[in-house]
Amino acid sequence: EPEVTQTPSHQVTQMGQEVILRCVPISNHLYFYWYRQILGQKVEFLVSFYNNEISEKSEIFDDQFSVERPDGSNFTLKIRSTKLEDSAMYFCASSEWGLGSTDTQYFGPGTRLTVL
Amino acid sequence: QKEVEQNSGPLSVPEGAIASLNCTYSDRGSQSFFWYRQYSGKSPELIMFIYSNGDKEDGRFTAQLNKASQYVSLLIRDSQPSDSATYLCAPSGGGADGLTFGKGTHLIIQP
């Protein structure tokens, strides 16, 4: 069964460093998303991406964040200058289409980002 | 703005009993909902999608939607210890809309 994959599973970085989190969405899906979950808190939407551009973003997704689809399979989230409060689990998700049950978002296993 | 409210629990249910999880939402325009299950340290996993008023059954799971009362619920019959997890409901926005999750209900099935 197709699934969303994410690398790395765990990333440790120093405050102020740039990190890139990688995702491979399900191959026939058209919509891609990033979410984050700070330990003990709810899953929060960051950004959605469709047709090679950002469709929607939350207040969390500020200028420190960027997303890119550098090729036909990968979808990346870049954090330019990490802060301690960026420590969280980051989930990538994808959905097939925008109608009815086909907008079901399937989540990857996540990347745990630890900022020291 | 879409908001969902769930009792964070923990909700403790004996093995074999019915677990009832509830979710209320603020946006009257929300037409359909997802229920996700999240094990500790893992990603959300889809359990059910419901878009019509009434009940939808899938195995041991039944989702109920009442749009007039802005209420969606999930029943788990014959609860198993493996059902112990946090259950998240989210209105479906369609397409590029991000999902708005509540804090979820932490369910514990006691053997």
Side-chain angles (χ1 to χ4, degrees), chain B residues 4-76:
Chain B
V4 294
E5 292 288 336
Q6 295 181 258
N7 186 331
S8 61
L11 174 65
S12 187
V13 173
E15 183 176 356
I18 296 175
S20 177
L21 307 164
N22 304 315
C23 174
T24 58
Y25 58 94
S26 62
D27 182 9
R28 283 200 170 272
S30 295
Q31 296 296 312
S32 54
F33 293 84
F34 297 107
W35 278 101
Y36 284 85
R37 175 177 65 197
Q38 186 178 28
Y39 292 114
S40 181
K42 302 295 185 182
S43 60
E45 171 192 11
L46 181 72
I47 298 293
M48 294 279 283
F49 170 76
I50 184 166
Y51 61 92
S52 299
N53 267 332
D55 297 359
K56 179 181 178 182
E57 186 173 320
D58 184 1
R60 297 187 295 112
F61 298 92
T62 299
Q64 299 173 319
L65 176 58
N66 184 324
K67 294 182 182 179
S69 300
Q70 295 179 242
Y71 175 93
V72 59
S73 65
L74 181 69
L75 301 178
I76 306 174

Side-chain angles (χ1 to χ4, degrees), chain A residues 79-90:
Chain A
I79 309 175
R80 289 191 182 84
S81 179
T82 50
K83 307 181 185 70
L84 295 176
E85 54 265 36
D86 293 327
S87 294
M89 182 76 95
Y90 288 81

Side-chain angles (χ1 to χ4, degrees), chain A residues 31 33 35 37 41-45 48-50 55-56 89 91 95 97-101 103-110 112, chain B residues 1 3-4 32 34 36 38 40-46 49 51 56 88 92-104:
Chain A
Y31 294 86
Y33 314 82
Y35 293 82
Q37 186 174 32
Q41 298 188 23
K42 62 182 180 179
V43 178
E44 299 174 291
F45 168 73
S48 61
F49 193 86
Y50 170 72
S55 294
E56 183 186 349
M89 182 76 95
F91 296 112
S95 66
W97 191 232
L99 301 174
S101 63
D103 71 353
T104 296
Q105 295 183 26
Y106 295 90
F107 285 75
R112 180 167 298 284
Chain B
Q1 185 168 348
E3 302 261 347
V4 294
S32 54
F34 297 107
Y36 284 85
Q38 186 178 28
S40 181
K42 302 295 185 182
S43 60
E45 171 192 11
L46 181 72
F49 170 76
Y51 61 92
K56 179 181 178 182
L88 312 171
S92 169
D97 284 8
L99 295 176
T100 299
F101 290 104
K103 291 184 178 180

Side-chain angles (χ1 to χ4, degrees), chain A residues 36-65:
Chain A
R36 80 170 186 192
Q37 186 174 32
I38 295 171
L39 187 64
Q41 298 188 23
K42 62 182 180 179
V43 178
E44 299 174 291
F45 168 73
L46 293 178
V47 65
S48 61
F49 193 86
Y50 170 72
N51 200 27
N52 283 319
E53 61 183 23
I54 290 174
S55 294
E56 183 186 349
K57 59 183 180 180
S58 71
E59 292 178 351
I60 302 168
F61 193 87
D62 61 22
D63 292 343
Q64 291 296 315
F65 293 91

